[in-house]
Amino acid sequence: MSTTPHRLATRCAHAGAKRTGGGENGPLQPPIVQSAIFDLGSSRDSDAIFSGERKGYAYSRFGNPTVDVLARTLADLEGGADALVTSSGNAAVLCAVTCALQGRSGPLVTHRDIYGGSFELLRVLSSVYLLHVEFIDPSEEHRWLAAVGRAAAVLVETPSNPLMRLIDLAATVEIARASGAPVIVDNTVATPVNQRPFELGVDWIVHSTTKYLNGHADLIGGCLIRREPLRDQHRSIHKNLGGTVNAFEAWLVLRGLRTLALRMEAHNRNAAAIAQWLERRPEVSRVHYPGLSTHPQAQLFRRQMTHGGGLLSFELAGGEAAAARFLDRMQLIINAVSLGGPETLATLPAKSSHRGMTPEGRQQAGISDGLIRLSAGLEDSADLIRDLEQALTPEG
Ligand SMILES: *Cc1c(COP(=O)(O)O)cnc(C)c1O
């Protein structure tokens, strides 16, 4: 057999499947080991498991066979050495930040337009535990890189949501390397299909598996993946923070992963078609989508991503009233938060994810009242464009 690693789509299609062969007659799909505890056997066996002399299971928060299959699969798809699975994307960010900061002093540097849930999490950590977090405006690249240069650890999200701004990962890694600061990339929006952060030298990748990796909008989950093998300290942090996942949900994510490459092709295609169509509409004043040739960072996009992804946002010339009217007129597209599922969703960030900000804060962040965020699903793009058209067209 050839030793060339299989391509990503092939690895997705076989996610978690186990060929036993040799007449063993085992199940191809991983069994769902829905048990909190494991029979430890004799005192000697139990000793060997607890001392780490032998790989074994004791308690599902410490480790579970189904969850381990998912962890190995996620590490493989991102090209990392090891992964840890968590109960949500927020739990993954908490765990990754804790692992990255462990033994280091100085600020956690991140940018102002990270996912709202991560922003709130870091605000909670900084007020309760006095964690020093610096939120930088990433549009001033020299300020961003200067902050990275004095960071204990760096948390980056690219593309950002909802404005789809990119951060230069290679430049960020180069600066962080000089001081040894670990770089964490939230790759939820891009997915391993569209962006390969480990190839650019980052240390950690986090995901909300709630989104594209599971892909069916039916569970909450997360993971963190390390380019180098995990240290015992990292496994200890994960197990003790406690945001671990049950076997059944891990199994559902494995099932979702099998179609990841195929689904991303459709998400990419639909979002690109919608972005191009919206750009030509007089009711639309601006479209934010990394795959457009008019994106202000089109050059960086070509260096860093292979496709534009399934998420985009656009601004209606008619402002807040036009955006509300658009949302009310949608028939196929659904007004719901989140992204990465089969159904196309649209929201008004100013009235949902960014509602907690002051109007001035929103304006500073570039979130206008007429901004609509759209997560392109898996429908036929002709149906989606017909729905967009009827929702945009003024009543005559
Ligand atoms: C949704 C999301 C998260 C948080 O994930 P949960 O599963 O909701 O906890 C983190 N980062 C990004 C980019 C997300 O979209």
Side-chain angles (χ1 to χ4, degrees), residues 100-109 144-154 171-183 203:
L101 285 172
Q102 198 249 325
R104 298 184 56 82
S105 63
L108 173 72
V109 167
W144 165 253
L145 293 176
V148 168
R150 55 177 187 270
V154 183
T172 301
V173 166
E174 192 188 325
I175 305 275
R177 278 272 166 86
S179 63
V183 176
D203 303 282

Side-chain angles (χ1 to χ4, degrees), residues 87-93 114-118 157 159 161 186-189 206-211 219-222 311 338-339 373:
S87 54
S88 69
N90 259 41
V93 171
I114 51 168
Y115 171 71
S118 308
E157 193 180 312
N161 162 13
D186 187 331
N187 209 28
T188 300
V189 170
V206 294
H207 277 280
S208 165
T209 56
T210 312
K211 315 294 168 51
L219 62 77
I220 302 288
L311 198 67
S338 197
L339 57 117
R373 191 194 77 171

Side-chain angles (χ1 to χ4, degrees), residues 81-104:
D82 285 315
L84 296 165
V85 185
T86 57
S87 54
S88 69
N90 259 41
V93 171
L94 171 63
C95 195
V97 162
T98 310
C99 288
L101 285 172
Q102 198 249 325
R104 298 184 56 82

Side-chain angles (χ1 to χ4, degrees), residues 103-329:
R104 298 184 56 82
S105 63
L108 173 72
V109 167
T110 188
H111 43 97
R112 226 186 270 157
D113 52 351
I114 51 168
Y115 171 71
S118 308
F119 185 82
E120 283 185 40
L121 167 67
L122 294 178
R123 279 230 301 233
V124 167
L125 294 179
S126 62
S127 73
V128 176
Y129 300 117
L130 308 180
L131 173 68
H132 182 184
V133 185
E134 281 189 34
F135 294 99
I136 308 294
D137 178 350
S139 57
E140 297 171 50
E141 201 186 8
H142 62 284
R143 279 201 59 220
W144 165 253
L145 293 176
V148 168
R150 55 177 187 270
V154 183
L155 172 64
V156 192
E157 193 180 312
T158 180
S160 73
N161 162 13
L163 292 177
M164 312 308 293
R165 292 184 181 132
L166 308 185
I167 288 186
D168 189 330
L169 291 177
T172 301
V173 166
E174 192 188 325
I175 305 275
R177 278 272 166 86
S179 63
V183 176
I184 307 163
V185 172
D186 187 331
N187 209 28
T188 300
V189 170
T191 79
V193 175
N194 292 332
Q195 179 167 269
R196 311 287 306 164
F198 284 145
E199 289 171 15
L200 300 171
V202 316
D203 303 282
W204 295 89
I205 290 174
V206 294
H207 277 280
S208 165
T209 56
T210 312
K211 315 294 168 51
Y212 292 107
L213 298 193
N214 176 59
H216 291 73
D218 54 9
L219 62 77
I220 302 288
C223 67
L224 54 158
I225 306 159
R226 191 162 191 254
R227 185 167 44 85
E228 302 281 319
L230 288 165
R231 303 197 184 120
D232 289 347
Q233 230 354 286
H234 302 140
R235 294 192 187 276
S236 164
I237 288 169
H238 172 251
K239 153 181 124 175
N240 287 302
L241 286 178
T244 50
V245 74
N246 288 325
F248 180 60
E249 292 208 324
W251 184 89
L252 281 176
V253 177
L254 278 166
R255 191 164 76 157
L257 286 175
R258 296 183 148 231
T259 54
L260 174 67
L262 183 65
R263 285 185 287 105
M264 288 318 296
E265 266 182 41
H267 288 300
N268 287 336
R269 192 174 56 237
N270 279 349
I274 290 169
Q276 282 160 15
W277 184 85
L278 286 170
E279 246 192 342
R280 296 194 299 268
R281 292 293 302 200
E283 301 89 346
V284 177
S285 53
R286 238 180 120 178
V287 182
H288 306 274
Y289 183 64
L292 287 176
S293 55
T294 51
H295 190 280
Q297 296 163 296
Q299 256 186 326
L300 175 58
F301 166 74
R302 283 192 293 275
R303 285 207 303 277
Q304 193 159 287
M305 296 181 73
T306 54
H307 300 91
L311 198 67
L312 63 114
S313 64
F314 56 100
E315 285 166 46
L316 292 186
E320 186 179 346
R325 185 176 161 279
F326 173 85
L327 226 64
D328 291 339
R329 286 177 59 101

